[in-house]
Amino acid sequence: MKHSSNHHYPHLLKYYSDQPILTAQHFPIAVNSVFNPAAVKFGDEYLLLTRVEDLSGVSCLWLARSKDGVHFTPDPQPALLPSQEEPFSHVERYGVEDPRITPFGDTFYITYVGYSEHDCVTLLAETRDFRSFRRVAILGLPENKDVVLFPEKIGGRYAKLDRPMTQTSRRGEMWISFSPDLIHWGNPLPVMSARPHRWDSFKIGAGAPPIKTEAGWLEIYHGVKLTAAGALYRLGAVLLDLEQPWKVIGRADEAILSPALPMDFHGNVANVVFTCGAILEPDGELKVYYGAADQVIGLAVCPVEEVIQLCLKAAHRS
Ligand code: BMA
């Protein structure tokens, strides 16, 4: 994919454009913001399942379709509104947020976050055709978010990454857990923590669902640093062991995307780049769709091999 030659930006991911690829203005009704999309290829189309915050401040999930991965047209109606049905209505009252899509056979699983007076919980829905959607389960207790499903079973069980939050330190760490049926989850293990004094020093969470590579599961995650101006969100990369994905093979020292464009700085929440979806193309290009400043959607790209090498460089040093 041709991208603007923005070599003066230091990070590994390069902006496809210095303009957003999808904004509130593209939608058929007035909405506040469009951000943090899941991304997947389906037939001959690219799909983004975007988080859309309405004018009352409640988010729903809305599908947008594209032939080229760049020009997206939203569907006439949202895909998932906050549920009115038990048990989901208990945990989605204030909105559904930050979806991730994992293809699994001919089913597409959608992991997402429900927000309510009970704080945030992780949930699972499914679709086969991106026309009708079915909720499957509430995956766990609050406070938890940043939930991604692996696209294959690990040791015979489904596996997910998520981000429980500790109450005393407010630290957010990445955990893995397992399930025989996608409903009952257990055997949790910590995978990765925030790194003191680095760009990901405050909290971290999974971004795109893990991508299988020969070098390991590639996870594009977000990290937060607290600055005098507030939280600063960046993207990083880590390789996890293919058979024992709670083991880190290599975690890149550097952030691979950091707010640098005007749209990353100016929006509802300044200084945020946040991903819920990346697509690995057959030619090795990694397309990372990201929410810019919780307002619009941007696209950044890079050969996947460069991201892998950055992770392996860190592996060899440690
Ligand atoms: C996180 C999530 C994201 C959001 C980010 C920055 O906690 O809620 O949806 O993009 O904060 O505001």
Side-chain angles (χ1 to χ4, degrees), residues 35-36 51 97-98 145 163 203 233 269 272 274 294:
F35 57 113
N36 299 359
R51 172 175 169 190
E97 306 184 347
D98 298 355
K145 53 168 59 175
R163 207 287 299 283
K203 54 182 183 175
Y233 279 74
V269 184
V272 174
F274 191 98
D294 285 8

Side-chain angles (χ1 to χ4, degrees), residues 45-118:
E45 284 189 321
Y46 292 79
L47 305 180
L48 294 182
L49 185 64
T50 75
R51 172 175 169 190
V52 169
E53 191 181 301
D54 71 13
L55 299 181
S56 74
V58 171
S59 290
C60 68
L61 307 183
W62 202 313
L63 205 70
R65 300 170 196 263
S66 167
K67 291 283 184 221
D68 62 4
V70 176
H71 301 91
F72 283 88
T73 307
D75 281 357
Q77 305 286 339
L80 284 170
L81 289 164
S83 180
Q84 307 290 327
E85 281 168 33
E86 302 251 345
F88 306 102
S89 50
H90 290 285
V91 296
E92 298 186 1
R93 195 189 307 273
Y94 303 158
V96 287
E97 306 184 347
D98 298 355
R100 278 86 170 177
I101 297 174
T102 300
F104 216 110
D106 54 7
T107 302
F108 294 84
Y109 289 109
I110 301 164
T111 51
Y112 66 102
V113 173
Y115 186 41
S116 71
E117 66 272 32
H118 307 295

Side-chain angles (χ1 to χ4, degrees), residues 116-134:
S116 71
E117 66 272 32
H118 307 295
D119 219 308
C120 48
V121 298
T122 57
L123 289 121
L124 181 71
E126 64 177 12
T127 183
R128 279 164 186 254
D129 56 6
F130 289 98
R131 301 280 167 196
S132 64
F133 299 85
R134 189 182 80 85

